[in-house]
Amino acid sequence: MTAPGQHSAPRVSALSAIPRELTTIMRPELPSLLKEMLEEIVGAIPEYADLLDGQGARVIRRGIEQNVVAFVEQVGLPPQRTTGTMPSRDEICRQFGRFEAYEGRNLDRLLEAYRIACQVALRRVRVVGRRYNLSAALLMTFADALFAYMGEIAELSREGYRQALVELGEEPDNRRRRLLRRILAGAPMSRATLKELAQQANWTLPEEVTMVALHPGSRPKRSELDGEILADLADPEPHLLVPGHLDDMRRISLSLVLTGCRAAVGLTTTLSEAPDSLRWARQALALSETGVLTDLPVVFCEDHLLQLWLLGDPPLLRQFGKRYLRPLESLTPTQRSRLSDTLRSWLSTRDTAPQMAEELGVHPQTIRYRLRVLERIFGPRLSDPDERFGIEVALRALRLQSRNRI
C-alpha cells in the first residue's frame, strides 16, 4: 500500500466517473452489507469474534459502519468536493491500528479484515450491477475507487499502529506481549500450541511462573528487565510474568528490577494457573494501597497469605461475620468488642482464665464472667468443631479489618 496522498488523486478520478445517483442504490444495501462483512471477518479471523461481541463492541461496530458509510458519502459528493481526508474516518482507522498495537499483535489480521470487507463489497456490487444493468466499465471504475479507498484506510491504520509503538517503546512485531495475553486469557489451549507461540516469540516455555502486578503509575526500566520476563506495560493494569521458581536469588533480583515501582508479587504457580497468580497479586496490591498490608513499595503474596485469604473479598467477609458472629449483634459496641477479644483469645490459645487475663489486661474473674456470657449466647455452637472454626476465622478477619478499617 502507498501513502494516503498517493491514493487521493486516483480515487478522486475514479469517483468522478461514478454517477452520484449511484448512492441511492448503495445506501439501502448498507445494513445487510455490514452484517455480511462482519460475519465473514469473524469466520476468517476467530480472534475478532470476542472483540465484536465483548466490551466496547458497539464502538467498534460503529467505527466499521462509519468507514463504509464514508465511502458511500464520498461517491455522492460533487467531484470538486471529493477529498482523501475525512477527519472522523481517519481517526477511526488510526484507532484501529493503535488497538492492534496495544493488543500486542501485528497488523496482519486488521489488513486481512479490510481485504475481506473489500471482497464482500465487490461481490455485492456485482449483484447490484446485474439487478440495475450497470455497465462493466462503471463496475470496474467503482472497484478501482474501492481498492484505492482500502489503501487509504490501511495506511491510516499503519500510522496509528506506528504511533502506538512509539508510545509503548515496543518492537513492531510484539510477539511476547501477545503470548503473555494468550497465557492469561484463561481459554483452554494445548501445551503444543503455547509452545509454538513461545518459539515464535523466542521464549522458553516454563513449568512454573510468578505474576507481578504493577501500579498503573509504575514502570520498571526496560533495560533492567530480565530477557526472560514477559511484560505488558500497555495494559490498564500493567503486569509482568517471571518464569521459573521464585527462589531467594530471584526474589532479590526482582526487587531490584522493581526499584521505584509500587508492585505486588503473586504466588508461584503452574503456567496454566498464571491468571490466579496475577489475580492474587492484584488483590495484594489493592490491599497494600489501602494500608491493609505493608506500606513497602513491593509486596510479596507469600508473606501475606492469611490476610489475602481473610480480606480478599470484603463483601463476603461481612456476610461471613453475620453468619458466625450473629449472637454478638444485639450487644452494645463496647460489650461486643470485649467479648470478641475474649472469645478470640480462648479459641486461639485455650489458655486458663489467669493466662487470658494476663494477655487481655483484666482480672481473671472478669474472664470467667465473659466466658459464661459467651457460653450462654453462643450455646452448643462452641462445642461444634466446624462452628468454632468459622467463628475463629470471622474473629480473626474482624480484627484485621478493624486494624486497617477496610
Side-chain angles (χ1 to χ4, degrees), residues 35 42 58 62 75 118 135 138 148 171 175 183-184 199 228 256 286 292 301 311 317 337 368 385 394:
K35 184 175 182 295
V42 169
R58 185 181 62 82
R62 179 62 177 162
V75 171
C118 189
S135 68
L138 177 58
E171 292 297 323
R175 292 185 175 92
I183 291 172
L184 295 174
Q199 289 174 343
E228 295 180 349
L256 293 175
V292 174
C301 283
L311 303 179
L317 174 59
S337 175
R368 294 187 182 97

Side-chain angles (χ1 to χ4, degrees), residues 164-209:
L165 292 179
V166 171
E167 295 169 6
L168 295 170
E170 302 281 353
E171 292 297 323
D173 189 8
N174 191 6
R175 292 185 175 92
R176 289 196 168 198
R177 187 152 58 92
R178 184 183 174 204
L179 171 63
L180 176 55
R181 294 192 173 189
R182 293 295 293 272
I183 291 172
L184 295 174
M189 183 179 298
S190 69
R191 180 82 179 183
T193 301
L194 270 180
K195 188 173 182 179
E196 182 181 351
L197 291 173
Q199 289 174 343
Q200 294 173 2
N202 193 28
W203 189 71
T204 302
L205 206 61
E207 294 295 331
E208 293 183 316
V209 298

Side-chain angles (χ1 to χ4, degrees), residues 41-276:
I41 288 172
V42 169
I45 311 173
E47 288 177 271
Y48 280 1
D50 292 338
L51 186 63
L52 291 169
D53 289 327
Q55 186 178 11
R58 185 181 62 82
V59 175
I60 294 170
R61 288 173 179 269
R62 179 62 177 162
I64 296 171
E65 178 182 349
Q66 287 186 25
N67 256 314
V68 177
V69 170
F71 175 78
V72 175
E73 294 301 324
Q74 286 286 297
V75 171
L77 289 175
Q80 63 271 20
R81 292 181 56 195
T82 304
T83 68
T85 302
M86 291 169 274
S88 177
R89 179 216 61 176
D90 293 357
E91 183 56 26
I92 288 170
C93 294
R94 292 190 188 98
Q95 288 296 335
F96 283 164
R98 290 173 63 85
F99 181 80
E100 293 299 292
Y102 280 116
E103 286 295 299
R105 296 190 285 253
N106 58 34
L107 278 177
D108 291 350
R109 285 167 180 76
L110 180 60
L111 298 181
E112 174 68 5
Y114 287 159
R115 186 187 64 80
I116 292 170
C118 189
Q119 287 180 336
V120 173
L122 288 175
R123 191 168 63 225
R124 179 65 65 90
V125 166
R126 287 195 291 270
V127 172
V128 172
R130 288 193 295 270
R131 187 189 308 157
Y132 290 93
N133 295 317
L134 302 179
S135 68
L138 177 58
L139 295 181
M140 288 296 294
T141 301
F142 186 92
D144 288 343
L146 186 59
F147 280 122
Y149 183 81
M150 186 182 73
E152 287 182 13
I153 63 176
E155 186 57 36
L156 287 165
S157 294
R158 286 194 184 92
E159 182 182 326
Y161 185 80
R162 288 191 293 266
Q163 289 172 348
L165 292 179
V166 171
E167 295 169 6
L168 295 170
E170 302 281 353
E171 292 297 323
D173 189 8
N174 191 6
R175 292 185 175 92
R176 289 196 168 198
R177 187 152 58 92
R178 184 183 174 204
L179 171 63
L180 176 55
R181 294 192 173 189
R182 293 295 293 272
I183 291 172
L184 295 174
M189 183 179 298
S190 69
R191 180 82 179 183
T193 301
L194 270 180
K195 188 173 182 179
E196 182 181 351
L197 291 173
Q199 289 174 343
Q200 294 173 2
N202 193 28
W203 189 71
T204 302
L205 206 61
E207 294 295 331
E208 293 183 316
V209 298
T210 305
M211 299 302 303
V212 180
L214 296 167
H215 184 275
S218 297
R219 287 293 188 276
K221 293 181 180 179
R222 290 183 176 275
S223 58
E224 296 178 0
L225 285 177
D226 188 317
E228 295 180 349
I229 294 177
L230 300 184
D232 190 347
L233 305 182
D235 192 275
E237 298 179 285
H239 49 274
L240 310 174
L241 182 151
V242 181
H245 180 67
L246 196 66
D247 54 22
D248 290 341
M249 289 301 297
R250 191 62 150 169
R251 180 167 171 157
I252 293 172
S253 64
L254 185 58
S255 294
L256 293 175
V257 168
L258 297 174
T259 300
C261 297
R262 179 165 286 278
V265 181
L267 300 174
T268 299
T269 65
T270 63
L271 185 64
S272 63
E273 294 172 319
D276 290 325

Side-chain angles (χ1 to χ4, degrees), residues 309-322:
W309 177 51
L310 293 179
L311 303 179
D313 190 338
L316 181 59
L317 174 59
R318 287 192 288 272
Q319 294 298 322
F320 201 85
K322 287 181 180 180

